Amino acid sequence: MTATLTPGIRSGGPRRWPLPGNLPAFARDPLAFFESLRDGYGDWVPWALGPQRTILVSRPEHAGELLGAVESTFRPT
């Protein structure tokens, strides 16, 4: 069975500070921060490290499908 790329986001992700984003919580304990994102918001979670917005993909099959879907966008070096 193939995973789908439909995000399982329960909300818009964790609250963040205007400039540092989620950096304070991430800096205290990165692993606990990622676990809290996964447990509180699902398999796909938007979060911010400073002004940089990103998405945590917490299931290996979703990460594999995502990377396979965008493989053609990478150029060989």
Side-chain angles (χ1 to χ4, degrees):
M1 176 182 271
T2 303
T4 62
L5 289 177
T6 305
I9 299 171
R10 288 194 275 271
S11 77
R15 293 185 69 189
R16 57 189 177 275
W17 294 94
L19 290 178
N22 300 115
L23 180 60
F26 175 78
R28 277 192 297 277
D29 187 345
L31 181 57
F33 176 71
F34 288 135
E35 288 174 339
S36 72
L37 291 182
R38 180 201 61 212
D39 295 345
Y41 300 98
D43 298 332
W44 299 73
V45 185
W47 66 286
L49 189 58
Q52 180 67 41
R53 304 262 340 225
T54 189
I55 295 178
L56 170 69
V57 180
S58 60
R59 295 187 59 123
E61 60 270 21
H62 293 302
E65 186 171 346
L66 177 66
L67 291 172
V70 298
E71 179 180 8
S72 63
T73 64
F74 296 106
R75 287 183 281 180
T77 57

